[in-house]
Amino acid sequence: MNTIHFNIDHWIALTPGLVLQEDEQAWANHPQLLHAQPPAADKIPPMIRRRMSPISKLALQAAMTITEKTTVDYIVFSSRHGELHRTVNLIKDIINGDDASPIAFSQSVHNTAAGLYTIATKQPLAVTSLTGGENTLHMALIEVACYLNEHPDHRVLVVDYDQPLPNEYQQFEQYQYPLFALAMVISYGNNSQLCWQPMSPAICEHHHGVDCYPQTLTVIKHLANKDSQWFINAQKQQWQWQHQ
């Protein structure tokens, strides 16, 4: 079994209808698909905000909110699908014979949110953007743990965000869920432990099927409930959390 350790110093979750800590706790007790307007993106400068996609706005709003009074040394943005909605629209424009928007094209890459964050905050920091399928958040945390092992006195901003697939790809969507962003400031320590192992037949016998949320929403639920231990089952791996 593989194991990493870290401290979650601060965290914030944003999704339509979920803005305050009280909202997070209420949602954790009664998780359901939220049909509401996304949180305000008032932390983002207007000139940058007006050209951004809804998912990048949510990611930056979470990132800029949590780092208002906190300095970080390294940044990891992670998203399973990234700017896929914008990419699909660009492809449609090309198929219809229209010119692709230069702004839309420049913001269709997977590191759009990460780049815009450094521009908006004027912070020339090292940034990593990554994706890891259904395990994207956990891949980001492994990246952070590796970094902190070499820089134990640093603090890292992690922003994991996503939204449902575009209509053209809905046949590949397993579950319904709202767009979301989870931002965490993480430091070196042992307050949180994350272990993982392959999903063997023995594990499957005691933990039937895969969990029914994107993994990030499951983590948000347990953090909001202040749970000390939980499991997340993926198709090929089981993730085990211990959190103080």
Side-chain angles (χ1 to χ4, degrees):
M1 182 179 294
N2 301 287
T3 304
I4 56 174
H5 300 84
F6 49 87
N7 290 348
I8 300 177
D9 297 337
H10 309 287
W11 68 274
I12 183 174
L14 296 180
T15 192
L18 190 158
V19 180
L20 305 174
Q21 193 75 24
E22 294 78 8
D23 300 325
E24 293 162 356
Q25 293 170 347
W27 173 83
N29 293 326
H30 302 284
Q32 58 184 340
L33 185 63
L34 298 170
H35 298 280
Q37 291 297 316
D42 56 332
K43 304 295 182 184
I44 308 170
M47 287 298 292
I48 297 177
R49 182 177 67 221
R50 67 189 183 90
R51 291 173 174 163
M52 293 173 62
S53 68
I55 191 60
S56 283
K57 286 180 185 178
L58 199 68
L60 258 68
Q61 180 72 8
M64 296 179 74
T65 299
I66 202 171
T67 56
E68 272 189 308
K69 300 179 180 179
T70 302
T71 58
V72 295
D73 305 282
Y74 180 51
I75 305 170
V76 177
F77 275 76
S78 59
S79 179
R80 182 174 186 177
H81 300 126
E83 293 284 350
L84 185 58
H85 282 254
R86 195 186 287 272
T87 302
V88 168
N89 289 333
L90 283 170
I91 293 173
K92 285 181 179 179
D93 290 341
I94 294 172
I95 291 174
N96 293 331
D98 300 327
D99 293 333
S101 163
I103 293 295
F105 181 78
S106 68
Q107 295 192 13
S108 66
V109 294
H110 203 79
N111 64 339
T112 292
L116 290 174
Y117 174 83
T118 60
I119 293 171
T121 59
K122 298 180 174 61
Q123 296 184 44
L125 296 174
V127 183
T128 292
S129 295
L130 58 82
T131 183
E134 63 177 338
N135 300 307
T136 292
L137 171 61
H138 292 101
M139 295 297 105
L141 293 172
I142 292 172
E143 163 69 20
V144 171
C146 291
Y147 175 86
L148 290 174
N149 190 54
E150 296 185 0
H151 307 279
D153 58 332
H154 284 191
R155 305 219 297 180
V156 182
L157 167 65
V158 180
V159 185
D160 186 83
Y161 60 100
D162 213 348
Q163 61 183 330
L165 289 169
N167 292 332
E168 291 78 4
Y169 292 95
Q170 274 298 307
Q171 60 179 309
F172 303 108
E173 192 71 85
Q174 288 181 288
Y175 313 109
Q176 286 193 320
Y177 57 93
L179 71 167
F180 62 84
L182 169 64
M184 298 181 286
V185 174
I186 295 180
S187 60
Y188 187 85
N190 296 297
N191 287 348
S192 295
Q193 175 181 287
L194 176 61
C195 306
W196 64 98
Q197 61 182 330
M199 284 289 286
S200 65
I203 296 176
C204 292
E205 183 178 349
H206 293 90
H207 302 276
H208 300 288
V210 296
D211 293 323
C212 59
Y213 297 110
Q215 293 175 7
T216 305
L217 292 183
T218 303
V219 171
I220 293 171
K221 179 182 71 173
H222 289 291
L223 289 176
N225 272 334
K226 296 181 172 57
D227 293 331
S228 60
Q229 183 174 346
W230 63 88
F231 298 86
I232 296 178
N233 299 323
Q235 292 183 359
K236 296 182 179 180
Q237 288 173 307
Q238 182 186 66
W239 304 93
Q240 302 179 23
W241 278 77
Q242 290 185 354
H243 180 67
Q244 299 178 12

